[in-house]
Amino acid sequence: MTMKILVAVTRVLDYSAPVRVHADGRGVVTEGVSRAMNPFDEIAIEEALRIKERGSADEVVVATIGPSACQQQLRAALAMGADSAIHVESDATLEPLLVARILLKLVEREQPAIVMLGKQAVDRDHGQTGQMLAALWGRPQATYASEIVLSEATARVTREVDEGLEILDVDLPAVITTDLRLNEPRFIKLPAILKAKKKPLTALTLNELGIEYESRIKVLRVDAPPARPPGIRVDNVQELINVLKDRALLR
Amino acid sequence: MNRVLIVAQHDGDQLASATAKTLQCGRAIPDAQISIVVFADQGNLLAAQAAKLEGIYEVIVVNDVAHAHPLAAVIAPQLAELAVEYTHVFAPATTFGKDLLPRAAALIGAVQLSDIFEVASATVFRRFIHAGNALETVEVNAAVIFGTVRVASFVAANSAEKSVLVREYVPKVSSTSHTRFVSISGKSADRPDLQSAKYVVAGGRAFASAENFKQIYELANLLGAAVGASRAAVDSGFVPNELQVGQTGKTIAPQLYIAIGISGAIQHVAGIKDSKTIVAINMDADAPIFEIADIGLVADLFDVLPELKRAFK
Ligand SMILES: Cc1cc2nc3c(=O)[nH]c(=O)nc-3n(C[C@H](O)[C@H](O)[C@H](O)COP(=O)(O)OP(=O)(O)OC[C@H]3O[C@@H](n4cnc5c(N)ncnc54)[C@H](O)[C@@H]3O)c2cc1C
Ligand SMILES: Nc1ncnc2c1ncn2[C@@H]1O[C@H](COP(=O)(O)O)[C@@H](O)[C@H]1O
């Protein structure tokens, strides 16, 4: 039997660009801001590729749900080394539960031993999809992974939790979400980009997957975060200490 | 009437302060009857602690040896079973709550909001997006609303004069064995906890070595402060991961945050926005950290550290 890894990737506003908010509250300015793959998803692809390169997996499939422009990120994933890609077309606002339901349909089609996701998409900061997919699938979840060791039927995952590092054993198939220290994604080389153009990319619609969903979260408005009052500069340590004492922060 | 269920966080002996802060978020829901649920190996003492918190109706305790170490795969089905009786289910936005809540929400098809910063009504909430660079107001239309609570944005609920009743609940679902706890390491046990400390002293890449970073610990000891770090400091191996502050680390809200040799990348700032006073010490007068600092000092950290230590003694 072939051992497959399914990696879910999503397209986000480039996180290195400054975020601006429309003054009328209608949302974050997206015009003229470049898009990129969610950094955690890049780490998920990298990990899947490393597992395959070590001989512990045969195939890496990447999938995304979103408008047609998302195919750009799928091509990037294929150029990194993924074997094939699935694009589920949707222009809707995607709540995590909807994404999880769609991914479950892909899981049923592809029968992966591991589904890898990012721990959170850095634009909407939900951090829910992996856990929701694991719930719907009735399988284990290992979130915030910083190390993955595979054996025959289990994965031993080190998780970055508030208390430190936690180690879990999960039976496969399982859902794993990535944290930043899991690996450092490779750079894409030019010949790989050309080769990726020939790799299979399947397009599906929500209709074909039999998915219906009514959005239940309505964004009323988006504002800039409350501003902090302007600060002051001090010239030396003594002055700093004096100000802290004045403000009763030091005795 | 709204019925709100708060999931308690604890370490087996003590309720975490995150529990009373999450409760405070629940109390902002109008016309609410609030219950706290404790999942533990032997949770009766924990439940008694919870029963003393102000503004609650009852405490539910679910005792199960499988809860000796909390696992989302084990707790989620039990929480889902309870959740259908409620309008809101809240847990702290800690790795515990963030791991657990979406799993339980999906089991009953509920909507979840992550990192709630403010409650405007029973159905309207505010939360940060884009690493804290925008604040979104959302209206939710669902029978049960799940939410993780940005604990740094809420003050802890007080204790009450009288305890409420504790009720034991025995879940109908059977436990799963596909997920097994192996170990946990880290816990800088004898140090003040980053998320509840009044003072935090944090260092960044500029320290250049774990040896140099020890000066942050010395400074923190003098102040009775917790130690924090930027991601660069963690990645460089100066300190363990649990000290990372920021979008992908901890969100903190101390009285005083002192950032030394930290540039102030948006991902770092996302975790310190709720600090009362931010002090920044950085050699580069144009470092972005100065844009949010209340008090800035442009200086070489290696020059000022000895003087700071003397001043804090
Ligand atoms: C998806 C994502 C999530 C992230 N999450 C986090 C997170 O949660 N937390 C986090 O911190 N980062 C996070 N980062 C990383 C973040 O973008 C920055 O790279 C990181 O915060 C930089 O750490 P730093 O300020 O220590 O290092 P640098 O940016 O290298 O800054 C070092 C600073 O020290 C100053 N300096 C150097 N020498 C001295 C000296 N002798 N005296 C005084 N000052 C000196 C420099 O002027 C500079 O400003 C994340 C990044 C991504 C992509
Ligand atoms: N539209 C999408 N298509 C494919 N995968 C997604 C999508 N949205 C989220 N994901 C996956 O779920 C992870 C967590 O996203 P979120 O729960 O939205 O923070 C991401 O890092 C992706 O791996």
Side-chain angles (χ1 to χ4, degrees), chain A residues 8-10 38 40-41 63-66 94 96 99 103 116-121 125-130:
Chain A
V9 305
T10 182
N38 183 35
F40 294 103
D41 304 354
T64 195
I65 304 131
L94 299 165
V99 176
L103 290 175
M116 304 258 304
L117 302 92
K119 77 163 178 182
Q120 81 192 68
D125 289 338
H126 290 305
Q128 302 172 18
T129 309

mmCIF file of all heavy atoms in Angstrom, chain A residues 8-10 38 40-41 63-66 94 96 99 103 116-121 125-130, ligand 2:
data_model
loop_
_atom_site.group_PDB
_atom_site.id
_atom_site.type_symbol
_atom_site.label_atom_id
_atom_site.label_comp_id
_atom_site.label_asym_id
_atom_site.label_seq_id
_atom_site.Cartn_x
_atom_site.Cartn_y
_atom_site.Cartn_z
ATOM 1 N N ALA A 8 -2.463 20.521 3.527
ATOM 2 C CA ALA A 8 -3.416 21.597 3.225
ATOM 3 C C ALA A 8 -2.678 22.923 3.272
ATOM 4 O O ALA A 8 -2.001 23.231 4.257
ATOM 5 C CB ALA A 8 -4.554 21.593 4.238
ATOM 6 N N VAL A 9 -2.789 23.682 2.193
ATOM 7 C CA VAL A 9 -2.099 24.973 2.178
ATOM 8 C C VAL A 9 -3.083 26.098 1.884
ATOM 9 O O VAL A 9 -4.096 25.898 1.226
ATOM 10 C CB VAL A 9 -0.943 25.006 1.145
ATOM 11 C CG1 VAL A 9 0.026 23.874 1.386
ATOM 12 C CG2 VAL A 9 -1.461 24.965 -0.280
ATOM 13 N N THR A 10 -2.754 27.273 2.377
ATOM 14 C CA THR A 10 -3.640 28.402 2.139
ATOM 15 C C THR A 10 -2.828 29.649 1.799
ATOM 16 O O THR A 10 -1.658 29.767 2.143
ATOM 17 C CB THR A 10 -4.590 28.622 3.340
ATOM 18 O OG1 THR A 10 -5.451 29.704 3.047
ATOM 19 C CG2 THR A 10 -3.838 28.925 4.610
ATOM 20 N N ASN A 38 0.893 30.626 3.343
ATOM 21 C CA ASN A 38 0.968 30.742 4.796
ATOM 22 C C ASN A 38 2.277 30.096 5.271
ATOM 23 O O ASN A 38 2.552 28.952 4.911
ATOM 24 C CB ASN A 38 -0.250 30.015 5.384
ATOM 25 C CG ASN A 38 -0.326 30.139 6.888
ATOM 26 O OD1 ASN A 38 0.031 31.169 7.445
ATOM 27 N ND2 ASN A 38 -0.785 29.083 7.530
ATOM 28 N N PHE A 40 3.344 28.671 7.905
ATOM 29 C CA PHE A 40 3.237 27.364 8.576
ATOM 30 C C PHE A 40 2.957 26.238 7.572
ATOM 31 O O PHE A 40 3.329 25.090 7.797
ATOM 32 C CB PHE A 40 2.134 27.399 9.634
ATOM 33 C CG PHE A 40 2.437 28.308 10.777
ATOM 34 C CD1 PHE A 40 1.848 29.551 10.885
ATOM 35 C CD2 PHE A 40 3.348 27.932 11.758
ATOM 36 C CE1 PHE A 40 2.138 30.397 11.934
ATOM 37 C CE2 PHE A 40 3.652 28.767 12.815
ATOM 38 C CZ PHE A 40 3.042 30.010 12.904
ATOM 39 N N ASP A 41 2.295 26.585 6.469
ATOM 40 C CA ASP A 41 1.973 25.572 5.465
ATOM 41 C C ASP A 41 3.216 25.198 4.658
ATOM 42 O O ASP A 41 3.376 24.055 4.231
ATOM 43 C CB ASP A 41 0.875 26.087 4.524
ATOM 44 C CG ASP A 41 -0.377 26.506 5.282
ATOM 45 O OD1 ASP A 41 -0.415 26.275 6.507
ATOM 46 O OD2 ASP A 41 -1.292 27.055 4.665
ATOM 47 N N ALA A 63 -3.235 20.406 -1.193
ATOM 48 C CA ALA A 63 -4.598 20.824 -1.538
ATOM 49 C C ALA A 63 -4.868 22.214 -1.002
ATOM 50 O O ALA A 63 -4.382 22.591 0.063
ATOM 51 C CB ALA A 63 -5.602 19.846 -0.936
ATOM 52 N N THR A 64 -5.639 22.967 -1.773
ATOM 53 C CA THR A 64 -6.077 24.271 -1.266
ATOM 54 C C THR A 64 -7.521 24.520 -1.663
ATOM 55 O O THR A 64 -8.008 23.983 -2.675
ATOM 56 C CB THR A 64 -5.170 25.415 -1.761
ATOM 57 O OG1 THR A 64 -5.439 26.572 -0.967
ATOM 58 C CG2 THR A 64 -5.426 25.765 -3.219
ATOM 59 N N ILE A 65 -8.203 25.327 -0.886
ATOM 60 C CA ILE A 65 -9.565 25.740 -1.192
ATOM 61 C C ILE A 65 -9.542 27.262 -1.291
ATOM 62 O O ILE A 65 -9.059 27.923 -0.368
ATOM 63 C CB ILE A 65 -10.537 25.298 -0.077
ATOM 64 C CG1 ILE A 65 -10.415 23.782 0.120
ATOM 65 C CG2 ILE A 65 -11.963 25.693 -0.417
ATOM 66 C CD1 ILE A 65 -10.243 23.363 1.543
ATOM 67 N N GLY A 66 -10.033 27.771 -2.397
ATOM 68 C CA GLY A 66 -10.021 29.219 -2.561
ATOM 69 C C GLY A 66 -10.207 29.602 -4.008
ATOM 70 O O GLY A 66 -10.426 28.746 -4.862
ATOM 71 N N LEU A 94 -14.220 31.531 3.878
ATOM 72 C CA LEU A 94 -14.136 30.146 4.333
ATOM 73 C C LEU A 94 -13.954 30.081 5.845
ATOM 74 O O LEU A 94 -12.893 30.408 6.356
ATOM 75 C CB LEU A 94 -12.975 29.454 3.622
ATOM 76 C CG LEU A 94 -13.099 29.385 2.098
ATOM 77 C CD1 LEU A 94 -11.761 29.028 1.479
ATOM 78 C CD2 LEU A 94 -14.160 28.369 1.702
ATOM 79 N N PRO A 96 -13.365 28.024 9.294
ATOM 80 C CA PRO A 96 -12.586 26.803 9.514
ATOM 81 C C PRO A 96 -13.406 25.509 9.439
ATOM 82 O O PRO A 96 -12.938 24.512 8.885
ATOM 83 C CB PRO A 96 -12.014 27.015 10.916
ATOM 84 C CG PRO A 96 -11.866 28.498 11.030
ATOM 85 C CD PRO A 96 -13.042 29.072 10.278
ATOM 86 N N VAL A 99 -13.800 24.622 5.832
ATOM 87 C CA VAL A 99 -12.532 24.109 5.280
ATOM 88 C C VAL A 99 -12.325 22.671 5.755
ATOM 89 O O VAL A 99 -11.966 21.790 4.973
ATOM 90 C CB VAL A 99 -11.335 25.004 5.702
ATOM 91 C CG1 VAL A 99 -10.023 24.416 5.204
ATOM 92 C CG2 VAL A 99 -11.511 26.415 5.173
ATOM 93 N N LEU A 103 -11.885 19.412 3.489
ATOM 94 C CA LEU A 103 -10.673 18.585 3.596
ATOM 95 C C LEU A 103 -11.034 17.136 3.918
ATOM 96 O O LEU A 103 -10.382 16.205 3.427
ATOM 97 C CB LEU A 103 -9.723 19.159 4.653
ATOM 98 C CG LEU A 103 -9.040 20.490 4.286
ATOM 99 C CD1 LEU A 103 -8.222 21.016 5.469
ATOM 100 C CD2 LEU A 103 -8.139 20.340 3.056
ATOM 101 N N MET A 116 -1.172 16.994 7.012
ATOM 102 C CA MET A 116 -0.394 18.051 7.642
ATOM 103 C C MET A 116 -1.035 19.401 7.318
ATOM 104 O O MET A 116 -1.375 19.662 6.166
ATOM 105 C CB MET A 116 1.037 18.063 7.103
ATOM 106 C CG MET A 116 1.764 16.742 7.255
ATOM 107 S SD MET A 116 2.918 16.754 8.620
ATOM 108 C CE MET A 116 3.888 18.096 8.179
ATOM 109 N N LEU A 117 -1.150 20.229 8.354
ATOM 110 C CA LEU A 117 -1.661 21.587 8.170
ATOM 111 C C LEU A 117 -0.767 22.535 8.958
ATOM 112 O O LEU A 117 -0.007 22.113 9.827
ATOM 113 C CB LEU A 117 -3.093 21.726 8.707
ATOM 114 C CG LEU A 117 -4.185 20.832 8.155
ATOM 115 C CD1 LEU A 117 -4.306 19.584 9.008
ATOM 116 C CD2 LEU A 117 -5.519 21.562 8.128
ATOM 117 N N GLY A 118 -0.915 23.821 8.669
ATOM 118 C CA GLY A 118 -0.260 24.808 9.502
ATOM 119 C C GLY A 118 -1.026 24.949 10.804
ATOM 120 O O GLY A 118 -2.207 24.642 10.866
ATOM 121 N N LYS A 119 -0.361 25.395 11.875
ATOM 122 C CA LYS A 119 -1.103 25.546 13.134
ATOM 123 C C LYS A 119 -2.067 26.716 13.071
ATOM 124 O O LYS A 119 -3.077 26.740 13.758
ATOM 125 C CB LYS A 119 -0.162 25.679 14.325
ATOM 126 C CG LYS A 119 0.492 27.033 14.494
ATOM 127 C CD LYS A 119 1.040 27.148 15.918
ATOM 128 C CE LYS A 119 1.747 28.464 16.110
ATOM 129 N NZ LYS A 119 2.312 28.569 17.460
ATOM 130 N N GLN A 120 -1.767 27.709 12.223
ATOM 131 C CA GLN A 120 -2.729 28.791 12.033
ATOM 132 C C GLN A 120 -2.409 29.527 10.746
ATOM 133 O O GLN A 120 -1.263 29.521 10.296
ATOM 134 C CB GLN A 120 -2.733 29.760 13.217
ATOM 135 C CG GLN A 120 -1.617 30.797 13.214
ATOM 136 C CD GLN A 120 -1.508 31.525 14.543
ATOM 137 O OE1 GLN A 120 -1.137 30.931 15.567
ATOM 138 N NE2 GLN A 120 -1.806 32.807 14.562
ATOM 139 N N ALA A 121 -3.433 30.096 10.144
ATOM 140 C CA ALA A 121 -3.233 30.958 8.987
ATOM 141 C C ALA A 121 -2.964 32.347 9.525
ATOM 142 O O ALA A 121 -3.757 32.863 10.323
ATOM 143 C CB ALA A 121 -4.462 30.942 8.093
ATOM 144 N N ASP A 125 -5.819 34.301 11.677
ATOM 145 C CA ASP A 125 -5.411 33.810 13.003
ATOM 146 C C ASP A 125 -6.468 32.936 13.702
ATOM 147 O O ASP A 125 -6.645 33.035 14.919
ATOM 148 C CB ASP A 125 -5.024 34.987 13.923
ATOM 149 C CG ASP A 125 -3.702 35.646 13.521
ATOM 150 O OD1 ASP A 125 -2.897 34.987 12.835
ATOM 151 O OD2 ASP A 125 -3.468 36.803 13.886
ATOM 152 N N HIS A 126 -7.151 32.076 12.944
ATOM 153 C CA HIS A 126 -8.141 31.189 13.571
ATOM 154 C C HIS A 126 -7.458 30.061 14.370
ATOM 155 O O HIS A 126 -7.791 29.807 15.505
ATOM 156 C CB HIS A 126 -9.026 30.521 12.519
ATOM 157 C CG HIS A 126 -9.981 31.423 11.821
ATOM 158 N ND1 HIS A 126 -10.882 32.192 12.491
ATOM 159 C CD2 HIS A 126 -10.175 31.661 10.499
ATOM 160 C CE1 HIS A 126 -11.604 32.876 11.610
ATOM 161 N NE2 HIS A 126 -11.185 32.579 10.394
ATOM 162 N N GLY A 127 -6.565 29.341 13.717
ATOM 163 C CA GLY A 127 -5.909 28.210 14.373
ATOM 164 C C GLY A 127 -6.871 27.103 14.751
ATOM 165 O O GLY A 127 -6.801 26.554 15.858
ATOM 166 N N GLN A 128 -7.793 26.764 13.859
ATOM 167 C CA GLN A 128 -8.823 25.768 14.189
ATOM 168 C C GLN A 128 -8.901 24.579 13.238
ATOM 169 O O GLN A 128 -9.380 23.509 13.616
ATOM 170 C CB GLN A 128 -10.210 26.442 14.154
ATOM 171 C CG GLN A 128 -10.362 27.617 15.077
ATOM 172 C CD GLN A 128 -11.676 28.345 14.862
ATOM 173 O OE1 GLN A 128 -12.611 27.807 14.265
ATOM 174 N NE2 GLN A 128 -11.765 29.566 15.319
ATOM 175 N N THR A 129 -8.494 24.781 11.988
ATOM 176 C CA THR A 129 -8.854 23.822 10.943
ATOM 177 C C THR A 129 -8.345 22.398 11.203
ATOM 178 O O THR A 129 -9.089 21.431 11.032
ATOM 179 C CB THR A 129 -8.353 24.333 9.573
ATOM 180 O OG1 THR A 129 -8.808 25.678 9.410
ATOM 181 C CG2 THR A 129 -8.875 23.485 8.441
ATOM 182 N N GLY A 130 -7.093 22.269 11.624
ATOM 183 C CA GLY A 130 -6.523 20.936 11.857
ATOM 184 C C GLY A 130 -7.298 20.168 12.923
ATOM 185 O O GLY A 130 -7.663 18.999 12.741
HETATM 186 N N1 LIG C 2 -8.664 27.607 2.376
HETATM 187 C C1 LIG C 2 -7.838 26.643 2.809
HETATM 188 N N2 LIG C 2 -7.422 25.682 1.964
HETATM 189 C C2 LIG C 2 -6.578 24.713 2.394
HETATM 190 N N3 LIG C 2 -6.103 24.643 3.643
HETATM 191 C C3 LIG C 2 -6.489 25.575 4.512
HETATM 192 C C4 LIG C 2 -7.380 26.626 4.155
HETATM 193 N N4 LIG C 2 -7.577 27.401 5.245
HETATM 194 C C5 LIG C 2 -6.830 26.864 6.237
HETATM 195 N N5 LIG C 2 -6.180 25.766 5.810
HETATM 196 C C6 LIG C 2 -5.241 24.919 6.575
HETATM 197 O O1 LIG C 2 -5.538 25.034 7.952
HETATM 198 C C7 LIG C 2 -4.456 25.620 8.663
HETATM 199 C C8 LIG C 2 -4.964 26.446 9.811
HETATM 200 O O2 LIG C 2 -5.783 27.488 9.319
HETATM 201 P P1 LIG C 2 -6.776 28.321 10.264
HETATM 202 O O3 LIG C 2 -7.518 27.347 11.094
HETATM 203 O O4 LIG C 2 -7.634 29.091 9.299
HETATM 204 O O5 LIG C 2 -5.893 29.233 11.075
HETATM 205 C C9 LIG C 2 -3.665 26.366 7.594
HETATM 206 O O6 LIG C 2 -2.333 26.549 7.988
HETATM 207 C C10 LIG C 2 -3.816 25.420 6.421
HETATM 208 O O7 LIG C 2 -2.929 24.318 6.534
#
